[in-house]
Amino acid sequence: MTQVLAVSQPFVGLIKARAVQVRGRAAKLWQSHPRETVGFGLLCVAAITLAIASVSQPEAAHAQTPPAPPPLLIREIPKTQAVAVNQHIPLSSGPNPAAAPFKFQGSAEARARAAECLASAVYYEAGQESSDGQRAVAQVVLNRVRHGAFPATVCGVVYQGSTRATGCQFTFTCDGSLYRGADVAGWRRAYKVAEAALAGAVYAPVGWATHYHANYVVPYWAPTLAKNAVVGAHIFYRWAGNWGRPQLSPRRMRAMSRASPPCAALPSRPRRQPRCSPRSARWPRRSRIFLARRR
């Protein structure tokens, strides 16, 4: 140990001598060129700040990027086994606050289209469920509208990914369900739920849930989310952490008041159903269900 200290003493002395020389040169430079010295020092500070920001910026950007909605991929297991697997996924022990009432700020035409899209989701996704089961599905749709990971309109949320294989977020938009005839009583019931939800009615038990699935299937994403409610035959989830809360920025609030997507962005309609007019490029005022009632 003493030998190491003895060997290192000359190096310590050399470093001290070099430090004295640097301080002497800096003093001379400051006396002869004070302005240039200050400018050089500021440039050095700016360079160090930019270097630190460039290292931390990717992590911050990644934290602010909303998670992508998981694709609809189901485990290939029997229904009885799926029910057992879902029962073993525990409910989240964290708080599950009720969602805030939805406030639709668009025009009357945009509201009518939103009501039709929301009623379609309620009818085809939860047509056989109780009133609570239908209200829960409508709540998920409106929670997505207010979340940064999803489109900012009701129709955009309902038909998201419907033109891509395994990409639809609601199965009825890509499995041919829209070609089925709908009974008038069932549609009226679903439409009433949709209108109430757009008017501010809240189904509190599902909180801010943005995902759900039937209890007889097991999506691959189920264990990665926070399970926060079971209503009827559906199990509801939200993202864990901050992304499990609403993402309401002023820009998103403005987007929510816009019209729904043009029909070119939505799935093709049955052959006998009237399409959007090229001039308006929007959904028809009367749905296929009402047309079926008139035939």
Side-chain angles (χ1 to χ4, degrees):
M1 187 68 178
T2 56
Q3 294 179 354
V4 174
L5 292 176
V7 173
S8 60
Q9 286 179 357
F11 292 98
V12 174
L14 181 62
I15 293 174
K16 290 182 178 180
R18 180 65 65 179
V20 172
Q21 293 179 1
V22 171
R23 284 198 298 268
R25 292 178 181 177
K28 292 181 180 180
L29 184 62
W30 170 256
Q31 293 175 358
S32 59
H33 302 85
R35 295 183 179 179
E36 289 79 358
T37 304
V38 173
F40 181 76
L42 293 175
L43 288 176
C44 291
V45 172
I48 295 173
T49 304
L50 290 175
I52 296 174
S54 63
V55 173
S56 60
Q57 187 175 3
E59 297 180 357
H62 179 71
Q64 295 176 1
T65 303
L72 187 63
L73 299 176
I74 307 298
R75 292 175 56 182
E76 297 293 337
I77 58 177
K79 292 184 178 180
T80 54
Q81 183 180 352
V83 172
V85 170
N86 289 322
Q87 290 177 347
H88 280 83
I89 299 177
L91 285 170
S92 175
S93 59
N96 185 33
F102 187 82
K103 298 180 181 179
F104 194 91
Q105 301 177 353
S107 63
E109 184 180 2
R111 185 187 180 92
R113 289 198 304 276
E116 181 178 345
C117 290
L118 185 57
S120 298
V122 172
Y123 178 86
Y124 287 105
E125 292 284 306
Q128 304 301 321
E129 293 293 305
S130 64
S131 296
D132 286 346
Q134 292 193 345
R135 292 174 62 196
V137 170
Q139 189 66 57
V140 167
V141 174
L142 298 186
N143 288 349
R144 288 192 172 198
V145 173
R146 294 178 285 187
H147 198 285
F150 301 95
T153 63
V154 175
C155 292
V157 165
V158 172
Y159 291 96
Q160 183 182 16
S162 58
T163 58
R164 303 192 307 267
T166 70
C168 59
Q169 294 294 304
F170 295 89
T171 54
F172 80 94
T173 65
C174 58
D175 66 356
S177 295
L178 286 171
Y179 290 88
R180 289 201 320 260
D183 65 280
V184 176
W187 174 259
R188 286 177 177 172
R189 179 168 169 251
Y191 199 88
K192 184 177 180 180
V193 171
E195 282 283 3
L198 290 176
V202 175
Y203 187 69
V206 299
W208 286 101
T210 50
H211 300 74
Y212 71 90
H213 65 82
N215 59 3
Y216 53 83
V217 297
V218 181
Y220 283 99
W221 49 258
T224 66
L225 302 181
K227 177 181 176 181
N228 64 336
V230 178
V231 183
H234 287 136
I235 305 172
F236 295 83
Y237 303 80
R238 56 177 165 76
W239 273 299
N242 290 333
W243 286 113
R245 303 167 187 165
Q247 310 293 322
L248 286 178
S249 62
R251 181 178 181 182
R252 188 164 187 85
M253 292 294 292
R254 291 193 297 270
M256 287 168 56
S257 64
R258 298 172 187 166
S260 298
C263 61
L266 301 177
S268 59
R269 313 288 285 180
R271 178 171 32 172
R272 296 186 62 184
Q273 183 178 357
R275 296 179 179 272
C276 311
S277 64
R279 180 176 301 176
S280 62
R282 292 171 179 166
W283 280 73
R285 293 180 181 272
R286 296 179 180 270
S287 68
R288 177 171 62 90
I289 296 171
F290 292 125
L291 291 175
R293 183 176 60 182
R294 295 178 58 188
R295 292 189 188 126

